[in-house]
């Protein structure tokens, strides 16, 4: 895959980059080693100032960076700008809280002064996806740099200019010794970099095959890794829910980021007592969505990021219909330029159909009828993934049964699944391991050092 910006709305290639040579990679690895000594030697207050400045610069540049994302991967412009604002938020959050999260923790022991000290690990390799080109990177970069680590970013090959812009804003904010470097490289160059002794850990957000590859390389070299992988999140609606609100948010949760979000709701599991009503309102709302140029503020769904995603989605929908699923709306790519695919709804989906448990990375919703709470939990868990779940009910006891029974990294009740700097984010099963954000996120890439000073 070439490293290039190709506008997904038009198919036009805007810029192509040569991958770094072995010599250039070596220079950056050496620089990362030096930058680590600089950054770990800084006080939290010093790092915090630089991180706060990053937030300010992101806010100043949000329109330019937002437009860049939209042009590189097709996200609606308002969402792109909101994404840059959210990055500013995570920078502020860790600039203010990192010191507290990583302060020495005293432990009561007999005849000793004992405590836990959190120390940085060194250069961390971050392999990142294109779907939230800024957010995915900042939710790693902000805690890592604040902990005293340094970052090496291998971004997805279709968002090279976003990758360079992230390096630029951190440099401009004062992380100017190479604390955060973008490596314009292909996926095939990742193993050699991860095997280098100077790289101490890795984090990957992306697909299962990429995650398995990075985690196994890291394991072979005895390095820590964090994986944020795919999801096929359930969105469960029970009879006591506010149906109007549930339908409105169901549509939003499915088409967020043109449907290309790991935590987009993908499987809608609705109690049989309200199924028909939900189905008709949901299909109606999906039909009304405006598909088109993501730079037009009135557009709800832009193009998919790459032609291959349209091909994959088309295959999944076609195979699901062949397996017996009912197509209620959509099911077609748009003719002409750009990677556009119609908002699509499938129902009566048999377990053999791809739409039953696979991740559909685009505006395709799968509807399921559940008999009761236990049945809804059973369907929700019938997937290899376990990232998020959204539950709609006004019955607190029922909500508790879902919270306990659903196998996922997060459960949201009467709200769509979202990430927030203050709470941990991550998955179980094939959705990965480790956590980002909150106090847990900043403690992933640190040495948890036990100190035991005997009292004499
Ligand atoms: P992807 O193909 O796995 O790519 C992600 C990153 O991994 C890219 O930088 C890619 O580089 C690199 N990569 C691919 N294969 C690799 C390999 N064998 N070794 C090392 N690096 C490799 O995923 P994607 O299509 O960009 O992203 C979509 C997936 O990400 C979906 O499954 C989605 O659910 C998941 N995702 C998860 C989260 C989460 O937080 N759990 C968030 C967002 C997205 P190239 O671009 O050069 O191939």
């Amino acid at each position: 895959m070439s490293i290039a910006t190709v506008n997904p709305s038009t198919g036009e290639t805007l810029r192509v980059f040569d991958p770094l040579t072995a010599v250039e990679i070596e220079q950056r690895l050496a620089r990362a080693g030096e930058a680590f000594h600089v950054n770990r030697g800084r006080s939290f207050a010093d790092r915090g100032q630089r991180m706060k400045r990053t937030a300010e610069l992101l806010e100043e540049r949000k329109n330019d960076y937002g437009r860049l994302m939209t042009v590189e991967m097709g996200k609606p412009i308002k969402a792109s700008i909101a994404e840059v604002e959210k990055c500013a938020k995570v920078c502020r959050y860790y600039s203010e809280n990192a010191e507290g999260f990583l302060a020495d923790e005293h432990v009561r022991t007999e005849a000793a002064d004992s405590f836990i000290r959190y120390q940085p690990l060194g250069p961390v390799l971050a392999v990142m996806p294109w779907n939230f080109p800024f957010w995915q990177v900042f939710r790693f970069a902000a805690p890592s740099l604040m902990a005293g680590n340094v970052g090496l970013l291998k971004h997805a090959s279709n968002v090279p200019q976003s990758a360079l812009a992230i390096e630029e804003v951190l440099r401009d904010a004062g992380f100017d010794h190479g604390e955060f470097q973008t490596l314009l490289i292909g996926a095939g160059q990742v193993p050699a970099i991860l095997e280098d002794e100077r790289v101490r850990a890795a984090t990957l957000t992306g697909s299962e095959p990429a995650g398995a590859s990075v985690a196994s390389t890291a394991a072979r070299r005895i390095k820590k890794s964090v994986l944020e992988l795919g999801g096929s999140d359930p969105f469960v609606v029970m009879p006591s829910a506010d149906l109007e609100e549930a339908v409105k948010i169901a549509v939003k949760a499915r088409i967020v980021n043109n449907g290309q979000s790991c935590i987009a709701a993908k499987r809608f599991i609705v109690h049989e007592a309200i199924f028909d009503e939900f189905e008709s309102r949901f299909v109606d709302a999906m039909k009304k969505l405006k598909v088109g140029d993501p730079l037009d503020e009135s557009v709800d769904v832009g193009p998919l990021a790459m032609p291959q995603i349209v091909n994959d989605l088309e295959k999944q929908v076609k195979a699901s219909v062949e397996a017996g699923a009912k197509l209620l709306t959509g099911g077609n790519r748009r003719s002409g330029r750009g990677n556009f695919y119609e908002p699509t709804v499938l129902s009566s989906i048999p377990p053999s159909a791809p739409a039953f448990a696979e991740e559909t990375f685009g505006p395709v919703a799968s509807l399921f009828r559940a008999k009761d709470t236990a049945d809804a939990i059973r369907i929700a868990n019938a997937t290899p993934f376990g990232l998020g779940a959204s539950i709609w009910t006004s019955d607190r006891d029922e909500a508790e049964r879902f919270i306990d029974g659903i196998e996922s990294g997060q459960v949201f009740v009467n709200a769509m699944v979202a990430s927030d700097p203050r709470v941990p984010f991550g998955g179980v099963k094939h959705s990965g391991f480790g956590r980002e954000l909150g106090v847990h996120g900043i403690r992933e890439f640190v040495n948890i050092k036990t100190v035991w000073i005997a009292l004499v």
Side-chain angles (χ1 to χ4, degrees):
M1 191 170 167
S2 64
I3 301 173
T5 300
V6 180
N7 186 337
S9 298
T10 61
E12 195 186 348
T13 299
L14 301 175
R15 246 183 112 174
V16 181
F17 295 83
D18 286 331
L20 295 183
T21 62
V23 171
E24 289 166 329
I25 290 171
E26 171 53 35
Q27 285 166 349
R28 281 163 176 78
L29 285 171
R31 194 153 186 247
E34 290 157 19
F36 175 53
H37 288 291
V38 173
N39 201 38
R40 76 168 297 180
R42 291 182 175 130
S43 65
F44 279 106
D46 184 350
R47 289 181 215 139
Q49 275 306 318
R50 290 165 210 263
M51 197 50 75
K52 193 167 152 257
R53 183 70 192 132
T54 309
E56 289 162 2
L57 289 179
L58 284 167
E59 278 158 357
E60 279 169 26
R61 300 175 187 177
K62 66 182 180 183
N63 291 328
D64 291 343
Y65 289 159
R67 193 183 161 83
L68 178 57
M69 271 192 271
T70 293
V71 168
E72 287 204 302
M73 53 66 69
K75 188 191 301 278
I77 186 69
K78 277 201 262 181
S80 291
I81 294 169
E83 182 170 332
V84 183
E85 288 167 345
K86 190 168 173 181
C87 293
K89 223 167 150 182
V90 79
C91 290
R92 281 214 172 79
Y93 174 74
Y94 281 110
S95 87
E96 289 161 11
N97 292 294
E99 184 166 11
F101 290 159
L102 300 180
D104 287 353
E105 267 177 44
H106 288 267
V107 181
R108 276 175 69 96
T109 50
E110 310 83 38
D113 173 12
S114 14
F115 58 92
I116 297 154
R117 176 159 297 170
Y118 298 100
Q119 293 184 313
L121 290 183
V124 182
L125 176 66
V127 182
M128 291 288 152
W130 46 265
N131 61 345
F132 293 91
F134 271 60
W135 172 243
Q136 300 293 359
V137 177
F138 273 97
R139 74 184 192 185
F140 154 74
S144 279
L145 292 176
M146 282 306 301
N149 292 313
V150 298
L152 289 161
L153 170 65
K154 183 274 179 267
H155 216 324
S157 292
N158 58 328
V159 289
Q161 296 191 66
S162 296
L164 291 170
I166 293 167
E167 182 184 68
E168 166 193 73
V169 72
L170 285 159
R171 187 178 55 236
D172 292 352
F175 292 108
D176 51 4
H177 287 70
E179 296 89 328
F180 196 87
Q181 299 179 80
T182 284
L183 307 176
L184 291 179
I185 54 171
Q189 291 169 281
V190 168
I193 293 172
L194 186 46
E195 283 174 7
D196 191 289
E197 265 310 300
R198 287 166 289 191
V199 175
R200 298 309 316 145
T203 181
L204 177 136
T205 301
S207 61
E208 284 179 82
S213 165
V214 163
S216 52
T217 306
R220 265 202 312 280
R221 295 290 168 154
I222 325 292
K223 295 178 188 182
K224 169 95 182 262
S225 63
V226 165
L227 298 183
E228 297 284 359
L229 309 180
S232 186
D233 282 8
F235 186 105
V236 180
V237 189
M238 298 303 282
S240 65
D242 173 344
L243 195 60
E244 196 178 328
E245 182 69 3
V247 170
K248 191 176 99 195
I249 302 300
V251 172
K252 192 170 163 201
R254 178 55 285 206
I255 59 136
V256 59
N257 213 37
N258 304 336
Q260 305 160 121
S261 167
C262 52
I263 47 168
K266 288 162 191 145
R267 297 174 303 127
F268 297 83
I269 302 161
V270 184
H271 190 280
E272 59 186 7
I274 50 163
F275 184 89
D276 292 342
E277 181 67 18
F278 178 91
E279 181 184 84
S280 115
R281 290 196 200 191
F282 183 74
V283 171
D284 238 30
M286 289 287 276
K287 279 182 178 162
K288 287 193 185 123
L289 293 170
K290 186 169 170 191
V291 180
D293 178 2
L295 289 170
D296 172 349
E297 288 201 359
S298 67
V299 157
D300 301 302
V301 184
L304 302 183
M306 286 172 283
Q308 188 55 41
I309 304 173
V310 182
N311 296 342
D312 291 346
L313 212 54
E314 200 170 40
K315 267 194 220 140
Q316 286 174 306
V317 171
K318 200 161 166 269
S320 297
V321 172
E322 278 166 11
K326 258 193 340 202
L327 181 66
L328 301 182
T329 184
N332 294 304
R333 65 168 73 213
R334 207 171 74 174
S335 59
R337 297 192 317 167
N339 316 323
F340 293 95
Y341 192 84
E342 291 173 353
T344 297
V345 183
L346 295 167
S347 192
S348 307
I349 303 158
S352 60
F356 188 87
E358 282 180 16
E359 180 178 41
T360 47
F361 222 52
V364 175
S366 304
L367 305 190
F368 298 88
R369 198 183 283 266
K371 289 191 195 65
D372 51 28
T373 311
D375 195 33
I377 293 174
R378 180 190 61 78
I379 301 169
N381 289 339
T383 164
F385 298 108
L387 195 52
S390 177
I391 309 300
W392 291 76
T393 174
S394 57
D395 176 338
R396 182 63 212 235
D397 291 341
E398 189 173 68
E400 282 293 342
R401 291 201 288 282
F402 283 106
I403 294 167
D404 276 347
I406 289 197
E407 298 160 348
S408 67
Q410 42 261 312
V411 174
F412 280 56
V413 179
N414 298 324
M416 68 186 262
V417 181
S419 56
D420 181 300
R422 296 164 294 188
V423 287
F425 183 94
V428 294
K429 295 161 74 178
H430 286 214
S431 293
F433 48 74
R435 290 292 178 268
E436 293 191 292
L437 301 175
V439 60
H440 300 82
I442 199 169
R443 291 184 182 168
E444 286 287 2
F445 296 120
V446 290
N447 174 16
I448 302 171
K449 184 183 270 181
T450 293
V451 183
W452 183 286
I453 303 173
L455 299 178
V456 285

